[in-house]
Amino acid sequence: MAERGARSLLSLLCLTFLYAATAVAKHADKGTAAQPFSPFWFTVEPQDTLAVRGAPALLNCSAHSDAATPARVEWKKDGTFMSLVSDERRRVLPDGSLLIAQVVHSKHNKPDEGTYQCVASIDNLGSISSRTARLSVAGMPRFTSQPVPASVRLGDSQVLACDVNPDLVPFTHWEKDRQPLELSARLVQLPTGALVVSNASEVDGGLYRCLVENVGPAKSSEETPLQIVPETGDERKLEFLVQPAAAVIKVVGTGVLLPCAVTGSPTPSVRWMFGDKLLEESGGRVELVGGGSLQITNLTEEDAGLYTCLADNSNATIEAQAQLTVQVPPQFAKRPANIYAHESMDIVFECEVTGSPPPTVKWVKNGDAVIPSDYFKIIKEHNLQVLGLVKSDEGFYQCLAENDAGNIQSSAQLIILEHGSRGVAGTAGPAPSAPRDVVASLVSTRFIKLTWRPPAEPHGDELTYSVFYSQEGTSRERVLNTSRPGEMQVTIQNLMPDTKYHFRVVAHNGNGQGESSAALRVATQAEVQVPGPAPNLQAVSNTPTSVSLSWDTPLTGNGEILTYKLYYTDKSLGNEQDVDIGSQSYTMTGLKKYTEYSFRVVAYNKHGPGVSTEDITVRTLSDVPSAPPQNLTLEVQNSKSIMVRWQPPPPGAQNGEITSYKIRYRKGTRKSEAAETTGGTQLYQLIDGLERGTEYTFRVSAITANGTGPATEWSTAETFESDLDESRVPDIPSSLHVRPLINSIVVSWTPPENQDIVVRGYTIGYGIGSPHAQTIKVDYKQRYYSIENLDPSSHYVITLKAFNNVGEGIPVYESAITRPQSVPDPTPMLPPVGVQASVLSHDTIKVTWADNSLPKNQKITDARYYTVRWKTNIPANTKMKTANTTSLSYMVTGLKPNTLYEFSVMVTKGRRTSTWSMTAQGTTFETIPSSSPKDVTVVSKESKPRTIIVNWQPPSEANGKITGYIIYYSTDVNAEVHDWVIEPVVGNRLTHQIQELTLDTTYYFKIQARNSKGMGPMSEAVQFRTPKTSNLPVKPGSNQPPPDNFGTAVGKPGTGNGENHILVIVIIISVGAFTIIVVVVGAFLCTRRTTSHQKKKRAASKSSNGSHKYKGNSKDLKPPDLWIHHERLELKPMDKSPEPNPVMTDTPIPRTSQDITPADSGLDNNPHLQQRRNSYRGHESEDSMSTLAGRRGMRPKMMMPFDAQPPQPVISAHPIHSLDNHHHHYHMGSLASPTRSYLYHQGSGHLRPHACATPISHLDRVDSTESVRNTPSAEPLPPATASSQASCPSELLADPEGSYHGSSTTEEEPSYSTNLPPHRPAHPHPHAHPLKSFAVPAIPANSHPSYESPALPSTPLLTQTGPPSHPHVVKTASIGTLGRTRTPMIVTVPNAPDVPETSKMLEDVDSSYEPDELTEEMAHLEGLMKDLNAITTAP
């Protein structure tokens, strides 16, 4: 986004300047020359001045201009214009300088001291401001220290103090014997005013005093003598008389004096180091003066650094350091340039400055500061951008740069050119008329795309256009030009959301600018209205382990706040965690005691997470320590005292600030205890007043403000029988260890082995080559010491001696060489390049890159590593995450699905790191929704009590674009998921109607959401009870009889009049005779027709059924399902249930029996389709079990509405997985018939492939590889041909609009679907179970791959040798037609191809049907024909 904005800005600037140049050329061509720029600048600017009280002061200022009237000069003091009209003491001279005749300055009145600036103005042109200058007034002469009588040995050095205010140092000088003292390389006056006398001689003796003159009355210090004494030759300690300040700041071009004077005997030598190099005197710019002080003149930036003064003699070496910082005043690398522009254009004044420290830049227009706003913006650090120019923007713009070393200014003039008269023909020809039909073709939150048509009167071919736009309520208008001639669209970027703008378009031809179009008023869209931050977030610690938090509702909630997410972080660990909260307060428990935690809150509404609050930090309350002190030790000091030492409890167990420690002790095994208390930071205590030769036990406990913690275990020590000996010096320490570092050596030791001699302390001596250069004494308790400020790579000798009041004992020696100074590699690391983010899954992105600092083969041979950082654009989670790797790629896991991430990489090698690389972006793939739809509500539709409306909201974690929903409903909330009726909803609709429910019945509803990856979890069940009464009239022209004429649900007696009963009996008797004839003929045909294919099917059926045998009487047997072949009118046995009574779940969700009427007249008029429709009703037993079995065995095709489209069948193939496993995927784009999928028939142990097959294509075979993986051996499938057809029953075609029937398939088995035109509902038989809709029985699967003969209506494409891993069965129901019915499109589906008989098939012919099986089939056929005949003869 930022890159696109930068490109847009660059294009805008180019067009702006091109347009300006073109405009200027046009003005020149037409003879209307543009107004020339006016030379206007300062020839003299004021400078910093030190004034003297009572004396005059002059601040110079002069401006140059070619204007007819001279410039008027005014002065500002401290940013405010000075009123000098009646001021007799201050006035402006004719050249513009400011003269102060007499400077006034006192302790409480300082009217003249301050910052001054002159402003030059020319009427009708503008104003410019000079640089600022500081006027300081010297204070009263006052000595902070004066010289005191001193003596100096011959050849040695001495310093005479005379410290005055820093601003008075230039007015200070020295006298000797009341005569001015001439300074030299031996006599040097320091920056403080003090005098250094080095290499003293007899002539230096005398009386000295320092004087302050030329700042009012002269003032002198006390006169003090300096006495010269002869050198005795005695050794004197080497020490500094004066040393440089630790930090010195100077401006480039000035000089500096770093004082360094030492005294001692033997006479020391002084040398200076710059960094780690010895500093040599060079050409008078760098020299040593005053016996050791360093003077540098004409400073440069390269002189900045660390200076060290080293003084040494044969006995010792001392040093002092000073850090010199050289500041550079601001300088212009690029000054702002004069600009011509037209109104409404955007311009940029460029200003580049350098300096040290980096200067700050501010802009001034006509003497007034430019305040950044929507139209005046600072870009690229220092440049000024002015958007939408207006006439009042003309004038002089100045870039003022300032740092601690000074300030500068540079000005540029802006002239606004006048446009020619719009629509008035010039001398060269007419201008274009207004562009037509200006419209906003695309409106977003921050940009608008405009399009228009050319003017009616273009008066030229090559037209260009300018779009002028302004925010409503402002007069400032901006312009954007089209990028090429003839282009009639433009996109205006960087607009504000939810803001109204006015747009107008103007055309340009070779004659100039034409008429403007009428203003178009357009409002940008509002951004996604997520909540703002929750205000007034407060956190209070209630207990040591809990914090109570509260906050208010966001001021901009943008709708209902659904939940809050509280993020909390243990500051000691840094890992952030979160918890969901439904209210505006929460008590966080289980926290660590006396630990700092940070908290923030993010509000969620239906659009997602809002803006996070600022982090607030709170520390849990303290508590008593939970652990005792550590490392308790006892040291017997003498016969009456014992030293007790310890360490604090572990940090995590202190539970607060340790205020004190309590030491309890007792003598021997006595019960009585004595106690002493120490301070909180004291980790030792001397217990004295003890008895000689007595055993004592001690323990220590820590105390906080809350109380005393647990104590240590008892420790025992015994006092000496007699006191230690101090009549002789201590013995040699028993050991000495040294550990050298770069600038230090850590020394550790153990005391002498003879503990009977008193040790009062230890003496440490060290030096380069000799241990006598420096001496340090430490306490007798100390066991280690760190010697600091040593030279790198130097050989030091260290000695250690124990001492007492008698003297020092025998020393122990050790030597060590300090480590060398590490030199940092000056070359920086190059950042990685070619960063790419490859999305691998919904939560994984692989980031790869290249490293130009590696060889061409990109092989890593050193110890470098790469840091990958990434973030997402979610407002609630703006923190970066990082990870390290040593390869050129990294797999980022644990990401959120369907989320855009940005990645960048940097490389680290040792102490060197690169900058971050350019970013790469990647959006994770979608995955199934991880949350269920929200806010599920069910309401009854007005005037239609049998129809309900289900409403819901999308899931909060959709993980992708929602493509549909599935509604489950049942009257039994505890029923298995496959016993619920399902209703699919296509697209992202959030409401759906379910029609023809049973009155006065309680239903339960659940909803699943679906995206391109599959189904999410179900929502919680929502209960709804339909009304008790129905007053709905029968629709006119409907073929459906009144509900009272139909039977009720299974198991309930039917209702109706006697005529209906008689009619039914007559129909049954009439059909009976016809059925007997058909049965006899069918039996004859079935017994004679023993094709190889039937034989194979029976063998496969028996193999599948295994050792199952039919048990019970004949009425308990489930009659087999039959196919009726339409072309040959032959009856084929299709399936037999291996169990006498399959267990069925009876879920009474009745719909009205009106659904059982024939489809419509369009279907009735087609005898073939009518026959197909009636032929597949099938036989239904009294308890409707066969209908339920058929329902579970086959999922009918659904009818999809196609408005205003030709009636063409659309065949698609999509995987549909198990419905009760949310990890399986469902496809709702084309709600489908279950071809090429397998149902596990309830009560049977084998698979039943669906009977309605779709044509096989090459793509189908490819898509079915998942199912093939489950097949141990499969023969090649026969190729699809144009003649291969499969007949599908008309009941499948007559399914309601948008219906969806799920199939239970094994995991990873794809199902394929066919979308067909819609048709009015066709529902189950009146005596069917209310949840069962009619389905065609399925064909049993063979145990080996086989091919169907053309006489059969389906072809099993894939087979399996075992049952599926998830034998789920799903019931389906039809979606209501929503008041619309459509005529179905007659579709001819290809049959399966002819397959030649094999010997295997012929061998199976003998095992055709046994008599009992044939009897069952005939009974099934008889029931089927009765039902079909009853339906076809129904009025």
Side-chain angles (χ1 to χ4, degrees):
M1 188 69 186
E3 182 180 356
R4 188 169 66 232
R7 286 202 303 266
S8 302
L9 179 59
L10 182 60
S11 303
L12 181 63
L13 294 178
C14 294
L15 291 172
T16 300
F17 289 118
L18 288 173
Y19 187 80
T22 305
V24 173
K26 290 180 180 178
H27 275 268
D29 293 342
K30 294 183 180 181
T32 57
Q35 173 188 348
F37 295 113
S38 302
F40 192 21
W41 66 82
F42 287 103
T43 56
V44 179
E45 295 185 75
Q47 303 294 324
D48 293 347
T49 304
L50 178 63
V52 177
R53 186 179 61 173
L58 180 65
L59 295 171
N60 294 315
C61 180
S62 180
H64 166 77
S65 172
D66 291 345
T69 57
R72 182 179 71 259
V73 177
E74 298 175 285
W75 282 85
K76 287 182 176 180
K77 178 179 181 294
D78 297 330
T80 304
F81 279 103
M82 302 173 63
S83 178
L84 305 176
V85 177
S86 58
D87 196 330
E88 298 179 355
R89 192 171 59 84
R90 300 176 297 185
R91 62 189 178 91
V92 178
L93 301 180
D95 66 346
S97 300
L98 175 65
L99 174 64
I100 303 176
Q102 185 177 15
V103 175
V104 176
H105 191 80
S106 65
K107 183 177 182 180
H108 301 291
N109 183 28
K110 302 176 182 179
D112 295 332
E113 195 170 57
T115 301
Y116 289 82
Q117 184 180 38
C118 69
V119 179
S121 304
I122 299 177
D123 293 338
N124 301 323
L125 191 60
S127 304
I128 56 176
S129 301
S130 71
R131 68 180 299 276
T132 58
R134 175 74 183 173
L135 177 67
S136 303
V137 181
M140 292 293 293
R142 187 177 292 108
F143 296 101
T144 57
S145 65
Q146 299 194 41
V148 296
S151 62
V152 59
R153 285 182 169 83
L154 286 172
D156 207 353
S157 299
Q158 187 58 273
V159 176
L160 300 177
C162 180
D163 293 338
V164 296
N165 298 338
D167 54 352
L168 295 179
V169 172
F171 304 98
T172 304
H173 66 277
W174 283 85
E175 288 184 350
K176 178 191 172 202
D177 299 331
R178 298 297 177 97
Q179 297 295 322
L181 180 66
E182 292 186 7
L183 301 178
S184 63
R186 199 172 56 84
L187 302 175
V188 176
Q189 183 176 333
L190 301 180
T192 60
L195 178 67
V196 177
V197 179
S198 62
N199 192 18
S201 62
E202 294 290 347
V203 299
D204 294 327
L207 298 175
Y208 288 81
R209 69 171 183 170
C210 66
L211 293 87
V212 179
E213 296 180 328
N214 301 325
V215 284
K219 186 171 184 178
S220 64
S221 68
E222 295 180 359
E223 203 167 31
T224 185
L226 176 64
Q227 182 179 2
I228 308 299
V229 298
E231 178 61 59
T232 62
D234 295 338
E235 288 190 5
R236 285 181 287 109
K237 183 179 179 181
L238 190 64
E239 59 183 351
F240 283 109
L241 294 172
V242 63
Q243 54 185 341
V248 180
I249 300 175
K250 292 292 180 179
V251 178
V252 67
T254 61
V256 66
L257 178 66
L258 301 177
C260 184
V262 293
T263 181
S265 179
T267 302
S269 62
V270 178
R271 63 186 187 273
W272 283 84
M273 303 286 289
F274 178 48
D276 55 356
K277 297 180 180 179
L278 184 64
L279 192 63
E280 303 288 344
E281 298 186 55
S282 60
R285 196 178 77 87
V286 179
E287 57 181 341
L288 288 179
V289 297
S293 298
L294 179 65
Q295 181 171 301
I296 307 174
T297 58
N298 193 19
L299 285 171
T300 64
E301 290 185 77
E302 289 73 21
D303 293 327
L306 181 65
Y307 289 83
T308 306
C309 176
L310 294 172
D312 55 4
N313 56 16
S314 57
N315 293 333
T317 300
I318 57 176
E319 67 178 38
Q321 293 183 332
Q323 181 71 42
L324 175 62
T325 301
V326 179
Q327 295 181 340
V328 182
Q331 295 178 340
F332 283 111
K334 188 171 187 178
R335 296 174 178 267
N338 297 331
I339 294 178
Y340 284 117
H342 288 283
E343 287 190 71
S344 303
M345 289 177 57
D346 300 342
I347 63 166
V348 174
F349 285 109
E350 295 183 332
C351 180
E352 295 181 15
V353 292
T354 60
S356 179
T360 59
V361 171
K362 66 179 181 178
W363 284 86
V364 173
K365 178 206 168 189
N366 290 336
D368 296 325
V370 174
I371 300 174
S373 64
D374 291 341
Y375 299 99
F376 288 87
K377 297 183 178 181
I378 304 298
I379 63 173
K380 296 183 180 178
E381 295 187 14
H382 300 150
N383 296 343
L384 174 65
Q385 183 183 37
V386 185
L387 305 177
L389 290 175
V390 294
K391 187 65 176 176
S392 60
D393 292 332
E394 271 192 338
F396 287 92
Y397 289 80
Q398 289 179 272
C399 176
L400 277 69
E402 181 180 13
N403 65 5
D404 294 339
N407 64 91
I408 55 174
Q409 62 81 26
S410 182
S411 61
Q413 186 180 6
L414 170 63
I415 295 179
I416 306 295
L417 301 174
E418 297 290 341
H419 282 297
S421 299
R422 293 175 182 161
V424 178
T427 57
S433 59
R436 297 173 293 171
D437 301 338
V438 179
V439 294
S441 59
L442 181 59
V443 178
S444 183
T445 56
R446 295 185 180 271
F447 70 88
I448 291 177
K449 182 178 181 180
L450 293 182
T451 58
W452 59 87
R453 293 174 55 213
E457 300 175 358
H459 300 298
D461 297 330
E462 297 293 327
L463 293 185
T464 59
Y465 297 90
S466 298
V467 177
F468 296 85
Y469 62 99
S470 62
Q471 187 175 332
E472 190 172 71
T474 63
S475 59
R476 188 176 289 271
E477 192 174 47
R478 298 181 63 188
V479 64
L480 182 62
N481 299 316
T482 55
S483 58
R484 60 182 180 272
E487 186 176 19
M488 287 179 289
Q489 66 178 21
V490 70
T491 300
I492 298 94
Q493 306 266 11
N494 301 321
L495 302 179
M496 299 296 293
D498 197 19
T499 306
K500 297 181 179 63
Y501 290 87
H502 292 272
F503 299 89
R504 61 184 183 89
V505 184
V506 175
H508 302 264
N509 62 10
N511 303 322
Q513 177 175 302
E515 295 179 356
S516 171
S517 67
L520 175 66
R521 183 172 176 269
V522 184
T524 53
Q525 293 181 353
E527 287 185 321
V528 175
Q529 298 301 304
V530 296
N536 197 26
L537 174 60
Q538 297 180 349
V540 178
S541 179
N542 301 323
T543 69
T545 59
S546 67
V547 172
S548 292
L549 300 106
S550 63
W551 57 89
D552 295 337
T553 304
L555 300 178
T556 55
N558 297 319
E560 179 186 0
I561 300 298
L562 302 180
T563 185
Y564 296 92
K565 184 162 284 190
L566 173 64
Y567 295 85
Y568 62 99
T569 303
D570 183 347
K571 302 284 280 188
S572 62
L573 301 177
N575 57 329
E576 187 175 61
Q577 304 177 64
D578 61 80
V579 60
D580 289 328
I581 301 166
S583 61
Q584 291 175 298
S585 62
Y586 186 73
T587 299
M588 180 74 66
T589 58
L591 303 179
K592 297 180 181 178
K593 298 178 180 180
Y594 199 66
T595 303
E596 271 198 348
Y597 287 88
S598 67
F599 298 90
R600 63 188 181 94
V601 173
V602 176
Y604 281 69
N605 65 6
K606 63 181 180 181
H607 299 293
V611 182
S612 173
T613 63
E614 295 293 330
D615 286 7
I616 63 169
T617 302
V618 65
R619 182 184 290 273
T620 52
L621 297 180
S622 61
D623 199 359
V624 297
S626 54
Q630 306 177 91
N631 303 330
L632 174 64
T633 60
L634 304 176
E635 298 178 11
V636 179
Q637 301 295 304
N638 50 45
S639 61
K640 294 184 178 181
S641 62
I642 296 177
M643 177 65 72
V644 183
R645 302 180 188 273
W646 62 89
Q647 294 295 321
Q654 295 181 12
N655 300 337
E657 184 178 352
I658 303 295
T659 58
S660 59
Y661 292 92
K662 180 173 288 187
I663 301 102
R664 293 185 176 90
Y665 62 96
R666 63 191 181 191
K667 183 169 65 174
T669 57
R670 291 185 180 180
K671 297 294 184 180
S672 60
E673 297 180 1
E676 291 192 19
T677 303
T678 70
T681 58
Q682 184 176 333
L683 300 177
Y684 61 91
Q685 179 71 12
L686 181 65
I687 308 296
D688 53 10
L690 304 179
E691 298 180 6
R692 296 173 182 268
T694 305
E695 185 180 84
Y696 288 86
T697 55
F698 298 81
R699 66 177 180 179
V700 182
S701 56
I703 302 175
T704 64
N706 303 83
T708 305
T712 61
E713 296 292 332
W714 289 102
S715 296
T716 303
E718 183 178 351
T719 57
F720 298 142
E721 288 289 344
S722 60
D723 290 333
L724 297 179
D725 181 14
E726 201 173 2
S727 62
R728 51 184 176 152
V729 297
D731 288 349
I732 183 172
S734 56
S735 68
L736 174 63
H737 302 280
V738 294
R739 184 164 63 92
L741 302 175
I742 298 175
N743 297 110
S744 62
I745 296 177
V746 178
V747 183
S748 60
W749 62 89
T750 55
E753 293 181 357
N754 186 357
Q755 299 287 320
D756 296 334
I757 304 175
V758 174
V759 176
R760 300 292 181 184
Y762 296 92
T763 301
I764 303 171
Y766 65 94
I768 298 178
S770 170
H772 307 297
Q774 297 281 355
T775 301
I776 298 168
K777 290 188 177 182
V778 298
D779 190 76
Y780 73 95
K781 302 182 294 295
Q782 197 154 336
R783 295 293 180 266
Y784 69 93
Y785 183 79
S786 179
I787 306 173
E788 303 292 340
N789 300 322
L790 303 181
D791 295 335
S793 304
S794 300
H795 185 276
Y796 284 88
V797 178
I798 297 115
T799 182
L800 176 71
K801 296 177 285 188
F803 68 88
N804 55 20
N805 293 333
V806 176
E808 294 180 342
I810 302 172
V812 58
Y813 291 88
E814 191 62 75
S815 64
I817 301 176
T818 52
R819 297 181 183 178
Q821 182 76 42
S822 60
V823 179
D825 193 341
T827 59
M829 295 290 290
L830 296 175
V833 298
V835 181
Q836 295 183 351
S838 303
V839 183
L840 302 183
S841 68
H842 68 275
D843 64 348
T844 304
I845 293 181
K846 183 178 183 181
V847 183
T848 58
W849 58 89
D851 191 345
N852 282 345
S853 60
L854 292 176
K856 290 184 179 180
N857 60 3
Q858 293 288 290
K859 186 176 181 181
I860 302 174
T861 58
D862 49 20
R864 70 181 62 200
Y865 66 90
Y866 301 88
T867 302
V868 183
R869 71 175 182 182
W870 64 93
K871 69 171 184 176
T872 182
N873 56 355
I874 298 177
N877 190 14
T878 59
K879 294 186 178 180
M880 290 280 190
K881 292 187 178 180
T882 60
N884 293 335
T885 180
T886 56
S887 63
L888 295 176
S889 64
Y890 184 74
M891 199 83 69
V892 183
T893 59
L895 303 178
K896 293 184 178 180
N898 195 37
T899 304
L900 175 65
Y901 285 89
E902 285 190 355
F903 302 87
S904 55
V905 188
M906 77 173 182
V907 59
T908 302
K909 180 181 178 183
R911 298 182 181 179
R912 302 164 53 206
T913 60
S914 72
T915 58
W916 289 104
S917 68
M918 298 187 69
T919 59
Q921 293 184 339
T923 301
T924 50
F925 294 152
E926 296 184 1
T927 188
I928 61 172
S930 53
S931 63
S932 61
K934 304 176 297 183
D935 303 338
V936 180
T937 59
V938 182
V939 295
S940 179
K941 189 172 182 180
E942 294 183 6
S943 72
K944 291 187 177 182
R946 294 180 184 270
T947 300
I948 58 97
I949 300 175
V950 185
N951 302 305
W952 63 92
Q953 291 297 320
S956 57
E957 296 178 0
N959 298 337
K961 182 181 178 182
I962 297 298
T963 58
Y965 298 88
I966 290 185
I967 302 173
Y968 294 75
Y969 65 96
S970 171
T971 58
D972 182 6
V973 71
N974 298 318
E976 295 292 333
V977 67
H978 53 262
D979 289 324
W980 291 58
V981 179
I982 61 175
E983 288 276 354
V985 179
V986 182
N988 57 359
R989 289 194 299 135
L990 301 177
T991 183
H992 183 68
Q993 292 188 14
I994 299 178
Q995 298 179 340
E996 306 300 343
L997 298 180
T998 302
L999 296 177
D1000 195 19
T1001 303
T1002 299
Y1003 291 85
Y1004 299 90
F1005 298 85
K1006 298 181 182 179
I1007 302 184
Q1008 277 180 314
R1010 178 194 181 280
N1011 58 19
S1012 63
K1013 294 299 182 181
M1015 304 300 302
M1018 291 186 186
S1019 65
E1020 294 295 328
V1022 175
Q1023 177 180 341
F1024 179 80
R1025 189 171 187 87
T1026 52
K1028 293 185 178 181
T1029 60
S1030 173
N1031 298 322
L1032 291 180
V1034 178
K1035 294 183 180 180
S1038 173
N1039 293 329
Q1040 301 173 348
D1044 292 340
N1045 294 341
F1046 286 81
T1048 60
V1050 174
K1052 295 183 180 180
T1055 61
N1057 52 32
E1059 295 178 0
N1060 288 339
H1061 284 276
I1062 296 173
L1063 179 60
V1064 171
I1065 294 173
V1066 171
I1067 292 173
I1068 293 175
I1069 295 174
S1070 302
V1071 174
F1074 173 75
T1075 302
I1076 293 173
I1077 298 173
V1078 173
V1079 167
V1080 174
V1081 174
F1084 178 78
L1085 294 176
C1086 289
T1087 54
R1088 293 190 60 185
R1089 183 174 181 81
T1090 56
T1091 62
S1092 61
H1093 184 72
Q1094 291 170 324
K1095 181 178 180 181
K1096 187 177 181 72
K1097 285 173 58 66
R1098 288 193 298 276
S1101 177
K1102 291 183 178 181
S1103 174
S1104 300
N1105 292 335
S1107 61
H1108 286 287
K1109 299 295 182 181
Y1110 294 112
K1111 298 178 182 181
N1113 53 31
S1114 59
K1115 74 175 184 178
D1116 295 332
L1117 294 176
K1118 176 187 176 299
D1121 297 333
L1122 297 177
W1123 282 97
I1124 300 178
H1125 197 277
H1126 303 304
E1127 286 76 6
R1128 303 186 183 181
L1129 294 178
E1130 293 179 345
L1131 303 178
K1132 305 292 183 179
M1134 296 305 297
D1135 191 15
K1136 292 177 289 183
S1137 175
E1139 296 183 8
N1141 275 324
V1143 179
M1144 302 300 173
T1145 303
D1146 201 11
T1147 308
I1149 305 183
R1151 298 199 182 202
T1152 178
S1153 54
Q1154 293 176 355
D1155 294 345
I1156 314 303
T1157 59
D1160 60 7
S1161 58
L1163 186 62
D1164 294 337
N1165 294 335
N1166 190 323
H1168 180 65
L1169 291 180
Q1170 179 69 36
Q1171 180 187 15
R1172 292 174 64 181
R1173 185 191 68 180
N1174 294 338
S1175 301
Y1176 284 84
R1177 287 293 184 180
H1179 176 73
E1180 296 179 34
S1181 61
E1182 291 181 358
D1183 57 358
S1184 298
M1185 286 298 104
S1186 64
T1187 303
L1188 179 57
R1191 173 65 176 275
R1192 295 189 177 185
M1194 167 59 68
R1195 181 186 61 191
K1197 296 189 178 182
M1198 70 168 293
M1199 315 306 296
M1200 297 296 296
F1202 290 86
D1203 294 326
Q1205 292 191 15
Q1208 300 178 2
V1210 180
I1211 309 300
S1212 62
H1214 300 283
I1216 301 179
H1217 296 285
S1218 177
L1219 289 175
D1220 58 353
N1221 189 339
H1222 71 276
H1223 293 294
H1224 298 172
H1225 302 308
Y1226 293 76
H1227 194 281
M1228 293 182 58
S1230 54
L1231 302 172
S1233 78
T1235 54
R1236 296 177 66 169
S1237 64
Y1238 294 84
L1239 292 182
Y1240 194 80
H1241 191 286
Q1242 185 168 344
S1244 67
H1246 61 275
L1247 296 173
R1248 302 180 61 193
H1250 288 287
C1252 185
T1254 55
I1256 310 169
S1257 68
H1258 176 70
L1259 180 61
D1260 292 337
R1261 293 195 181 98
V1262 174
D1263 292 342
S1264 65
T1265 54
E1266 295 185 13
S1267 181
V1268 173
R1269 285 202 303 267
N1270 298 326
T1271 307
S1273 63
E1275 297 177 8
L1277 301 177
T1281 63
S1283 63
S1284 61
Q1285 297 180 350
S1287 301
C1288 291
S1290 60
E1291 288 294 327
L1292 302 185
L1293 300 178
D1295 213 28
E1297 174 183 331
S1299 67
Y1300 175 79
H1301 301 283
S1303 67
S1304 175
T1305 67
T1306 59
E1307 190 169 7
E1308 294 187 351
E1309 281 186 344
S1311 294
Y1312 298 84
S1313 62
T1314 303
N1315 294 332
L1316 296 175
H1319 192 63
R1320 65 168 32 178
H1323 289 284
H1325 190 273
H1327 297 285
H1329 190 286
L1331 275 184
K1332 282 54 169 192
S1333 60
F1334 179 76
V1336 180
I1339 304 174
N1342 296 328
S1343 60
H1344 298 284
S1346 64
Y1347 301 121
E1348 300 286 350
S1349 75
L1352 293 176
S1354 67
T1355 301
L1357 300 182
L1358 295 175
T1359 62
Q1360 287 186 209
T1361 58
S1365 59
H1366 300 281
H1368 302 311
V1369 180
V1370 178
K1371 295 182 179 180
T1372 61
S1374 304
I1375 302 177
T1377 58
L1378 304 180
R1380 294 181 300 162
T1381 59
R1382 301 193 180 182
T1383 304
M1385 171 65 190
I1386 299 175
V1387 181
T1388 301
V1389 183
N1391 290 325
D1394 293 335
V1395 181
E1397 295 181 350
T1398 63
S1399 59
K1400 175 71 174 177
M1401 297 178 181
L1402 296 176
E1403 291 171 4
D1404 295 339
V1405 166
D1406 297 335
S1407 58
S1408 175
Y1409 284 144
E1410 297 179 5
D1412 57 344
E1413 296 176 346
L1414 183 59
T1415 303
E1416 294 169 10
E1417 293 176 2
M1418 297 308 295
H1420 187 190
L1421 178 61
E1422 180 180 0
L1424 174 65
M1425 296 307 297
K1426 286 180 180 180
D1427 293 340
L1428 294 179
N1429 194 24
I1431 294 174
T1432 54
T1433 57

